Amino acid sequence: MAGLTCYKPGKRSRTFYSVREYRGRKGEPKGIGWHDLRDLLVRAHIQLGGPIVLVWDNLRMHLVAPMRQFIADHAAWLTVFQLPSYSPDLNPQEGIWSLVKRDIGNLAAADLGQITRAVKRRLKQIQYRPDLVDGCLAGTGLIMDG
């Protein structure tokens, strides 16, 4: 899973996500890659219709050379700030993941597909609840200026 939590003063808070289900097929990626993150950022940029100031953690995938090159190539609409090492308490997206985990924590899934559907359903519910998304920012203790 990969996700973006988006805030803009005076606007509804938004969240974007991507979920990949690994089925063990030959040549299939096992997880989210840098190109999936790139696509998620492009999708958010298109839907939000403006520049993005991205604040993210030190996940290895955020730091790979192709991702750094993508950021450099799109500096006109994408500005990136790195959070300090291991600081999940400053990352509002961690609050989103916590909400998802809390909801599916007692799920007795028959297969991976059922878990994937439950995760996507919960993320879709969160997308329609900007108050939950706002609460994830409030949980960090950070504020928006403006």
Side-chain angles (χ1 to χ4, degrees), residues 32-61:
I32 299 286
W34 76 268
H35 54 281
D36 298 306
L37 294 175
R38 175 202 61 205
D39 295 347
L40 185 61
L41 286 169
V42 169
R43 194 172 79 217
H45 172 62
I46 291 167
Q47 289 187 26
L48 295 170
I52 294 176
V53 176
L54 181 64
V55 180
W56 65 12
D57 55 22
N58 290 303
L59 180 69
R60 183 180 53 86
M61 202 54 56

Side-chain angles (χ1 to χ4, degrees), residues 128-143:
Y128 288 101
R129 297 278 312 274
D131 57 312
L132 289 178
V133 181
D134 288 342
C136 292
L137 179 63
T140 66
L142 302 174
I143 60 167

Side-chain angles (χ1 to χ4, degrees), residues 104-116:
I104 67 167
N106 290 326
L107 176 67
D111 60 13
L112 181 59
Q114 190 175 4
I115 295 169
T116 302

Side-chain angles (χ1 to χ4, degrees), residues 77-146:
W77 60 266
L78 182 60
T79 305
V80 176
F81 294 97
Q82 213 69 35
L83 284 171
S85 294
Y86 194 73
S87 54
D89 51 325
L90 296 176
N91 188 348
Q93 188 61 39
E94 293 296 334
I96 300 293
W97 300 139
S98 177
L99 291 169
V100 172
K101 291 176 197 173
R102 186 178 315 149
D103 190 58
I104 67 167
N106 290 326
L107 176 67
D111 60 13
L112 181 59
Q114 190 175 4
I115 295 169
T116 302
R117 287 187 300 277
V119 166
K120 286 181 176 181
R121 183 176 49 249
R122 184 61 179 140
L123 286 167
K124 180 62 87 176
Q125 290 170 341
I126 292 168
Q127 280 185 318
Y128 288 101
R129 297 278 312 274
D131 57 312
L132 289 178
V133 181
D134 288 342
C136 292
L137 179 63
T140 66
L142 302 174
I143 60 167
M144 285 190 297
D145 231 1

